[in-house]
């Protein structure tokens, strides 16, 4: 059965903030997404070599920052010297934020989060345990969060250690055993790549009682028919376009 927690998610979620107009997975980028109207934001959590949880997608800082290096070779004390807004030259410098800093911001702005745990080969408990500790201490309104991952092992570990926090199963393609996995982990929601989704899969997920979140759709017109299928939320690099098209009211 789906998790009993009543998660108050939004239909339109910013993907890593609003990366079409602001640097992804940064405090400034999250503020910008909120200014554009996003009340829920998808973000990624990874682990530094010293055990610090940070909000960052890749296993290195190469793509988005002015430096190079893998996360497992970094310490928290080095974050302030990294400009993770390098892809936006006119944007003020943005260090890689810690999960703690992001939780403080989301509490300040009363935002909800779709927190994706990245699987960069770190042992499950090594990354899951500090995430749970941060959430329990600083973000314990579980109506404003869904924790997701492509890794069943990470979600299984999370469910075992913190069954009270809502989970979402994240897939590129819906596998044949998705319902068994969903029931075993007592997940709240199913998260799928909208490009690989069929109408019959949508109806199966909905018939089983799970909210369906789709990623990463950036064109409101192309996505519009999926609302009629029964999709519950979209995760987008362009949340502002979905608001402008009135999709929050569909």
């Amino acid at each position: 059965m789906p998790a009993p927690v009543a998660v108050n998610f939004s239909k339109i979620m910013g993907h890593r903030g609003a990366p079409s107009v602001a640097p992804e997975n940064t405090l400034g980028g999250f503020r910008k997404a909120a200014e554009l109207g996003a009340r829920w934001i998808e973000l990624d959590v990874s682990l530094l070599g010293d055990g610090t949880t940070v909000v960052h997608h890749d296993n290195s800082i190469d793509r988005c920052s002015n430096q190079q290096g893998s996360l497992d070779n970094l310490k928290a004390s080095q974050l302030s010297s990294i400009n993770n807004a390098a892809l936006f030259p006119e944007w003020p410098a943005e260090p890689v934020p810690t999960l703690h800093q992001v939780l403080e911001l989301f509490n300040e702005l009363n935002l909800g989060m779709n927190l994706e745990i990245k699987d960069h080969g770190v042992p499950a408990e090594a990354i899951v345990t500090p995430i749970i500790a941060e959430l329990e201490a600083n973000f314990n309104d579980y109506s404003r969060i869904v924790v997701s991952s492509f890794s069943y092992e990470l979600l299984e570990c999370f469910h075992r250690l913190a069954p009270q926090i809502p989970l979402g199963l994240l897939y590129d393609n819906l596998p044949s055993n998705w319902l068994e996995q969903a029931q075993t982990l007592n997940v709240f929601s199913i998260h799928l790549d909208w490009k690989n989704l069929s109408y019959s899969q949508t109806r199966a997920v909905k018939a089983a009682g799970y909210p369906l979140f789709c990623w990463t759709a950036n064109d409101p017109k192309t996505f519009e028919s999926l609302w009629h299928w029964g999709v519950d939320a979209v995760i987008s690099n362009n949340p502002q376009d979905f608001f402008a098209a009135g999709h929050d009211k569909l």
Side-chain angles (χ1 to χ4, degrees), residues 175-194:
S176 59
N177 66 336
W178 72 269
L179 184 56
E180 177 187 353
Q181 291 188 335
Q183 292 173 338
T184 300
L185 298 182
N186 198 29
V187 303
F188 172 76
S189 51
I190 305 296
H191 305 187
L192 295 170
D193 183 346
W194 76 280

Side-chain angles (χ1 to χ4, degrees), residues 40-119:
W40 266 65
I41 293 172
E42 185 269 354
L43 53 84
D44 307 284
V45 177
S46 301
L47 200 67
L48 298 186
D50 67 356
T52 303
T53 49
V54 293
V55 174
H56 191 72
H57 179 275
D58 301 354
N59 62 0
S60 78
I61 58 172
D62 298 5
R63 179 173 59 87
C64 295
S65 85
N66 61 340
Q67 299 183 39
Q68 294 187 329
S70 61
L71 296 189
D72 57 8
N73 287 326
L74 290 175
K75 300 177 181 179
S77 59
Q78 298 172 271
L79 295 179
S80 61
S81 66
I82 300 168
N83 178 17
N84 214 40
L87 297 178
F88 290 78
E90 304 303 316
W91 196 274
E94 293 269 4
V96 175
T98 64
L99 176 58
H100 185 83
Q101 291 171 323
V102 171
L103 295 182
E104 288 185 331
L105 176 65
F106 275 49
N107 284 330
E108 173 193 335
L109 301 179
N110 195 32
L111 297 176
M113 69 169 61
N114 176 355
L115 187 160
E116 181 187 341
I117 307 175
K118 300 307 294 184
D119 182 8

Side-chain angles (χ1 to χ4, degrees), residues 3 114-117 145-151 155 158 165-171 182 185-191 210-211 213:
N114 176 355
L115 187 160
E116 181 187 341
I117 307 175
I145 186 168
V146 173
V147 173
S148 64
S149 181
F150 283 105
S151 169
L155 290 183
F158 202 102
I165 300 177
L167 298 181
L169 274 167
L170 182 54
Y171 299 114
L185 298 182
N186 198 29
V187 303
F188 172 76
S189 51
I190 305 296
H191 305 187
Y210 297 97
F213 301 172

